[in-house]
Amino acid sequence: MKRQFAFAALAFAALVTAQDDCDEYYATTTTMAKTPISTVTSGVSYPTPYPLHNGPGSVAVPATVARTKTCHVVPLGNNQDDGPQIRAAAQGCSGGTVVMDGSYFIASYTDLTGLSHVDFNISGTVLFYGNVTYWQTNVYPIVYQNSSAVWRFGGVDVNIYGGGTIDGNGQGFYEAYAKNIYIYRPILFVVDGLNGGSIFNLNFVRSPCWNNLIANSTNVIYDNINIVTVSNSSTTAKNTDGWDVYRSDNIVIQNSVIHNGDDCVSFKPNVTNTLVQNLNCTGSHGISVGSLGQYIGEYDIVENVYTYNIHMTNASDGARIKVWPNVESTLNELAGGGGTGHVNNVTFDTIYNSNNDYAIELTQCYGQSNLTLCNMYPSALSISNVWFKNFYGTASGKYKDIVGTLVCSSPSVCNNIFAENINIAPNTGFKTADYVCTNVNDTLLDINCLQSTTTTTTTTTTTTAKTTAAVAYPTPYPLHNGPGSVAAPAKVARTKTCHVVPLGNNQDDGPQIRAAAQGCSGGTVVMDGSYFIASYTDLTGLSHVDFNISGTVLFYGNVTYWQTNVYPIVYQNSSAVWRFGGVDVNIYGGGTIDGNGQGFYEAYAKNIYIYRPIMFVVDGLNGGSIFNLNFVRSPCWNNLIANSTNVIYDNINIVTISNSSTTAKNTDGWDVYRSDNIVIQNSVIHNGDDCVSFKPNVTNILVQNLNCTGSHGISVGSLGQYIGEYDVVENIYSYNVHMTNASDGARIKVWPNVASTLNELAGGGGTGHVNNVTFDTFYNTNNDYAIELTQCYGQSNLTLCNMYPSALSISNVWFKNFYGTASGKYKDIVGTLVCSSPSVCNNIYADNINIAPNTGYSTADYVCTNVNDTLLNFNCLQPTTTTTTV
């Protein structure tokens, strides 16, 4: 499987089940009579964000449920494995507290995920088995940077505290790692898939690797944690990060002391709304964003992070951002480069430095010592809106007078970097504190910038009018400039043509198209005949290539053949026949892509598990455009945009409908997934599902000037379908959309936090957030709903949905300037806004909504549940039943 769709593995979806035997359950359970919460929780004061600073992640953990029983785990002693009985106690202790007040020994992987309303009061000691060889085959493998776990906590409302000590027994791992960098070294404390909880008043010592990993979690707070992970020999305790945060939102880490051998706190890929404050770190690599952009095909996001009041001593860095360049690089045992993504709105405020090598380090050349090569291949991961402010203290002198470095690979991917009130004294013997500044705007920096000591070489390409005159690449049409309205990177002149002559007679043209594209960097692949595709055709990894398709591309229509010859995409049972990707790739020409999908529509009606290839997949494209093309008869979605950035679609005509009574299901116009800065505009779509759908982890998108018929509307989602996945959709603007004979005009569809089914779909329990989404100027003609927002997608039982509110929040959504008519399918109801709880659904606005009901109904009404109807410019009714469109 290709890495770009390895997200399911990265989400730690694999389950390792510990063996439980009731006859060997040594825990004792005492059920207490139900008493007021003040009594049962009198010994526990759950932490809240300390008010020294309220950053974007500074939110209180959800209210906890009273603990009405205790489940006491008695240690087995004599180095017998306590893991199974701890797990059994926790699974049977919902609404209670697992008490661990002795000396426990862990010698097996202990899965403590999936819990509900459980506390762990650890006042004793937990010691991990120190045999390195044993753990190579007995850990829970985490498919991210060769990580692994011995125990994992997760669920809803789980709290761990007590003043006790977690001892990773890591010295043997430090020695073994010095000889073999590929061994498994378990992370000491893993929180994975936790929604609401806290870890506080604990001591962590001798972790074999990272001390803490927070993954796929939200609303978690760490408070008063003491970490000491150092080696007792000359061998360094490497990679012993204090915290690594990964694919998580609304995390607070505060009021703690850390002595370790790597990052004090590290924000790994896809971390949002996080607050770190009041830490004292010694011997570390600083408070770090990254590393990011390590893996080709991965889209990494770090956004809305505030770090405040940090004391950093004897460290390599005070604050740093580390991003890999867009070229393969190595750094000691690490290797990577070429990943995409963005860092945005990150603040380092009030950092006290004592003898640190760098007070500030920002690099887009991580792992690449050759700055010339780095600049030739600028990072595909952008950095913007970063503040370093109120820095004090001293540098170590390791780099002489240089006390910081800000090295961007290109100004186009690194902007709005600010430094103010920076007061770092150089080491004794140096008069000035200087900073290396490359490709940054030094007028925004309150520091003394020097030019890089490494020569920067700029490559110049001669552009000729002849090679580019025939192609006018599209830019966002100026009717509206939404958050995604950005031009793609500058094009390189096309100086050659690579003509593909069709083989004819239904011979497979796929291999020769691929060969032409791979040999046509800086040129245009010309396809002006009738082509036949009968094999998976990989057109990713290209550089500065155009495709001028004025002819027709027809896909082989044999359903059985494609079941074993597609490129499988591990997301919603998807697949591809051809994929485009790379840097500066443009596809245009007025031609037609024919998916030959009728056979798939008929086959899917009999078997919903068959592969139906997506007709046009853009995967891993940084900078490019698809315009002036016709798409017909796609077997499934017409377009998938995945792991891409700075891509614009313009003047696309889609007709994907069935020629029989069998519906052409799931034939979305566009699905956008794990991508940023995408524009879709000026197009006409006639299909059988969403006109445009924003799938998980999509940011900064502009959709405008579309005419959609027969669809399911402009849709956010569905989201929250998969447990353990954190889905983000943020900064979306949809403008000037004509929607006819559709199930919806605009909609947001989120699964509840309970297993649900909707026809052939199943899901629920995933986490994430939708934020800053606008639907503006929608013309509705005969649509079932003009507006639909639901956090109960797939769940017809509204009572059950409200009992298990969605773990995926929706906030700051605007529906405005809606006009037209409803179909009358739901009588007078022309829209529905069904939130599962006000706590996860707020700031939903509707303004200037003018939808006429169908003939026979005097009013246009809306079902409103758990929303603030004072923000809605229409007539809200209380619900009687919930109707969710498919």
Side-chain angles (χ1 to χ4, degrees):
M1 189 63 59
K2 302 294 185 184
R3 176 175 290 279
Q4 52 264 42
F5 286 101
F7 73 94
L10 290 176
F12 318 127
L15 297 176
V16 179
T17 304
Q19 296 298 312
D20 287 339
D21 190 328
C22 293
D23 294 333
E24 295 179 358
Y25 179 19
Y26 289 89
T28 60
T29 302
T30 303
T31 303
M32 300 170 58
K34 289 188 177 181
T35 55
I37 188 169
S38 59
T39 301
V40 297
T41 63
S42 60
V44 181
S45 177
Y46 298 117
T48 56
Y50 192 69
L52 269 184
H53 197 89
N54 294 318
S58 183
V59 293
V61 176
T64 190
V65 171
R67 305 310 193 236
T68 57
K69 62 182 177 181
T70 59
C71 308
H72 187 204
V73 183
V74 179
L76 298 176
N78 299 316
N79 285 346
Q80 296 181 77
D81 182 18
D82 290 302
Q85 66 159 342
I86 293 171
R87 180 171 182 259
Q91 289 179 326
C93 207
S94 181
T97 300
V98 177
V99 176
M100 299 173 59
D101 55 0
S103 296
Y104 303 87
F105 190 75
I106 303 295
S108 63
Y109 164 59
T110 304
D111 184 359
L112 299 171
T113 61
L115 302 178
S116 179
H117 311 300
V118 178
D119 280 13
F120 292 81
N121 186 337
I122 305 175
S123 59
T125 299
V126 179
L127 176 68
F128 288 81
Y129 186 29
N131 188 306
V132 176
T133 303
Y134 171 80
W135 287 118
Q136 300 313 295
T137 54
N138 290 280
V139 291
Y140 176 87
I142 296 171
V143 189
Y144 180 72
Q145 294 188 337
N146 199 36
S147 305
S148 60
V150 168
W151 62 351
R152 293 159 61 237
F153 292 85
V156 177
D157 182 23
V158 177
N159 306 280
I160 306 105
Y161 52 86
T165 298
I166 317 296
D167 187 342
N169 207 357
Q171 188 65 42
F173 291 89
Y174 314 151
E175 307 295 342
Y177 184 74
K179 300 173 183 177
N180 177 10
I181 64 173
Y182 298 106
I183 65 167
Y184 276 130
R185 296 171 295 154
I187 301 166
L188 184 68
F189 198 93
V190 177
V191 165
D192 183 7
L194 176 58
N195 179 22
S198 54
I199 297 90
F200 59 102
N201 301 344
L202 288 171
N203 303 288
F204 294 167
V205 300
R206 300 195 300 169
S207 177
C209 191
W210 303 342
N211 283 270
N212 291 276
L213 171 64
I214 310 164
N216 306 297
S217 297
T218 188
N219 297 318
V220 179
I221 184 169
Y222 287 73
D223 191 30
N224 192 27
I225 303 295
N226 184 47
I227 295 175
V228 180
T229 294
V230 293
S231 175
N232 63 14
S233 74
S234 59
T235 304
T236 305
K238 288 190 174 182
N239 309 123
T240 51
D241 301 19
W243 284 266
D244 290 82
V245 190
Y246 172 70
R247 296 199 72 184
S248 294
D249 179 71
N250 275 357
I251 306 299
V252 178
I253 301 169
Q254 65 182 17
N255 308 327
S256 298
V257 179
I258 304 95
H259 191 176
N260 67 325
D262 210 299
D263 297 325
C264 188
V265 180
S266 175
F267 309 110
K268 300 296 188 189
N270 301 317
V271 172
T272 53
N273 305 311
T274 296
L275 171 66
V276 172
Q277 62 181 356
N278 313 328
L279 303 189
N280 191 319
C281 310
T282 300
S284 82
H285 292 183
I287 307 295
S288 297
V289 172
S291 64
L292 305 175
Q294 183 173 2
Y295 301 117
I296 294 173
E298 298 288 339
Y299 192 90
D300 298 342
I301 297 171
V302 172
E303 193 161 36
N304 301 337
V305 173
Y306 210 110
T307 300
Y308 177 77
N309 191 34
I310 308 296
H311 290 253
M312 191 72 62
T313 303
N314 297 330
S316 67
D317 299 89
R320 74 169 173 169
I321 299 176
K322 43 183 177 174
V323 170
W324 293 82
N326 200 18
V327 62
E328 185 175 349
S329 308
T330 58
L331 180 66
N332 299 331
E333 64 268 30
L334 298 175
T340 61
H342 69 263
V343 173
N344 180 52
N345 192 25
V346 173
T347 300
F348 301 94
D349 183 359
T350 311
I351 312 291
Y352 299 94
N353 293 262
S354 180
N355 199 45
N356 299 332
D357 300 337
Y358 285 141
I360 297 171
E361 182 182 8
L362 182 154
T363 181
Q364 286 180 311
C365 299
Y366 188 67
Q368 182 53 254
S369 58
N370 185 335
L371 188 56
T372 300
L373 188 62
C374 181
N375 290 339
M376 289 175 62
Y377 299 91
S379 176
L381 193 147
S382 65
I383 303 174
S384 59
N385 304 313
V386 174
W387 286 264
F388 303 94
K389 60 183 183 178
N390 307 317
F391 276 55
Y392 309 92
T394 60
S396 68
K398 179 177 180 178
Y399 302 111
K400 300 180 180 180
D401 59 313
I402 306 299
V403 301
T405 176
L406 295 92
V407 177
C408 294
S409 55
S410 168
S412 67
V413 290
C414 192
N415 54 76
N416 289 345
I417 313 300
F418 301 88
E420 64 179 80
N421 194 28
I422 308 300
N423 304 280
I424 302 299
N427 192 264
T428 304
F430 301 98
K431 295 181 180 181
T432 61
D434 298 319
Y435 296 77
V436 173
C437 305
T438 304
N439 291 321
V440 289
N441 181 354
D442 60 8
T443 65
L444 305 179
L445 304 174
D446 178 26
I447 53 180
N448 185 36
C449 274
L450 305 178
Q451 292 300 310
S452 172
T453 55
T454 305
T455 302
T456 301
T457 302
T458 302
T459 303
T460 302
T461 303
T462 302
T463 303
T464 62
K466 182 177 180 180
T467 59
T468 60
V471 182
Y473 298 115
T475 57
Y477 193 70
L479 269 184
H480 196 91
N481 293 319
S485 183
V486 293
K491 306 293 186 292
V492 170
R494 305 310 194 235
T495 58
K496 61 181 177 181
T497 59
C498 308
H499 188 203
V500 181
V501 178
L503 297 175
N505 298 317
N506 286 347
Q507 296 181 77
D508 182 18
D509 290 302
Q512 69 161 339
I513 293 171
R514 180 169 183 261
Q518 289 179 326
C520 206
S521 182
T524 300
V525 176
V526 176
M527 299 173 59
D528 55 1
S530 297
Y531 303 85
F532 190 76
I533 303 295
S535 63
Y536 163 58
T537 304
D538 184 359
L539 298 172
T540 60
L542 304 178
S543 180
H544 309 299
V545 178
D546 280 13
F547 292 80
N548 186 337
I549 305 175
S550 59
T552 300
V553 179
L554 175 68
F555 288 82
Y556 185 29
N558 188 306
V559 175
T560 302
Y561 171 81
W562 287 119
Q563 300 313 296
T564 55
N565 290 279
V566 291
Y567 175 88
I569 297 171
V570 188
Y571 180 73
Q572 294 188 335
N573 198 37
S574 304
S575 59
V577 169
W578 62 351
R579 292 160 59 236
F580 292 85
V583 177
D584 181 22
V585 177
N586 306 278
I587 306 105
Y588 52 85
T592 297
I593 317 297
D594 186 342
N596 207 356
Q598 189 64 43
F600 291 90
Y601 313 152
E602 308 294 341
Y604 184 73
K606 301 174 183 177
N607 177 9
I608 64 173
Y609 299 106
I610 65 168
Y611 275 131
R612 295 170 297 154
I614 301 167
M615 188 159 70
F616 198 92
V617 176
V618 165
D619 184 8
L621 176 58
N622 179 22
S625 53
I626 298 90
F627 58 102
N628 300 344
L629 287 171
N630 303 287
F631 293 167
V632 301
R633 299 195 301 169
S634 178
C636 191
W637 304 342
N638 283 270
N639 291 275
L640 171 64
I641 310 164
N643 306 297
S644 297
T645 188
N646 296 317
V647 179
I648 184 168
Y649 287 72
D650 191 287
N651 193 27
I652 303 296
N653 185 46
I654 295 175
V655 180
T656 293
I657 54 178
S658 174
N659 63 14
S660 75
S661 61
T662 304
T663 305
K665 286 191 173 182
N666 308 125
T667 52
D668 301 19
W670 284 267
D671 289 83
V672 190
Y673 170 71
R674 296 198 72 184
S675 294
D676 178 71
N677 274 356
I678 307 298
V679 177
I680 301 170
Q681 65 182 19
N682 307 326
S683 298
V684 178
I685 304 94
H686 191 175
N687 66 325
D689 210 297
D690 297 326
C691 189
V692 180
S693 175
F694 309 111
K695 300 296 188 187
N697 301 317
V698 171
T699 54
N700 304 311
I701 309 295
L702 172 64
V703 171
Q704 61 182 358
N705 313 328
L706 301 189
N707 191 320
C708 310
T709 299
S711 82
H712 291 182
I714 306 295
S715 297
V716 171
S718 65
L719 305 176
Q721 183 174 1
Y722 301 115
I723 294 174
E725 297 287 346
Y726 191 90
D727 298 343
V728 176
V729 171
E730 194 162 37
N731 301 337
I732 309 293
Y733 211 110
S734 296
Y735 177 78
N736 191 35
V737 176
H738 291 251
M739 190 72 63
T740 302
N741 297 332
S743 68
D744 299 87
R747 73 170 175 170
I748 299 176
K749 42 183 177 174
V750 170
W751 293 83
N753 201 17
V754 62
S756 306
T757 58
L758 180 66
N759 296 341
E760 64 266 31
L761 299 175
T767 61
H769 69 263
V770 173
N771 180 50
N772 192 26
V773 174
T774 300
F775 302 94
D776 184 359
T777 311
F778 273 58
Y779 299 93
N780 294 261
T781 302
N782 199 46
N783 299 332
D784 299 337
Y785 285 142
I787 296 171
E788 182 182 8
L789 182 155
T790 180
Q791 286 181 311
C792 299
Y793 189 69
Q795 183 54 252
S796 59
N797 186 334
L798 187 58
T799 301
L800 188 63
C801 181
N802 291 337
M803 288 175 62
Y804 298 93
S806 174
L808 194 148
S809 65
I810 303 175
S811 60
N812 303 313
V813 175
W814 286 263
F815 303 94
K816 59 183 183 178
N817 306 317
F818 274 55
Y819 308 95
T821 60
S823 69
K825 179 177 181 178
Y826 302 112
K827 301 181 178 179
D828 60 313
I829 305 299
V830 301
T832 176
L833 293 92
V834 176
C835 294
S836 56
S837 168
S839 65
V840 291
C841 193
N842 53 76
N843 292 343
I844 312 300
Y845 301 88
D847 184 43
N848 193 29
I849 308 299
N850 303 279
I851 301 299
N854 193 265
T855 303
Y857 300 98
S858 59
T859 61
D861 298 318
Y862 297 77
V863 173
C864 307
T865 305
N866 292 320
V867 291
N868 182 353
D869 60 8
T870 66
L871 305 179
L872 305 173
N873 173 224
F874 48 60
N875 186 36
C876 274
L877 305 178
Q878 293 300 310
T880 52
T881 58
T882 302
T883 303
T884 301
T885 60
V886 182

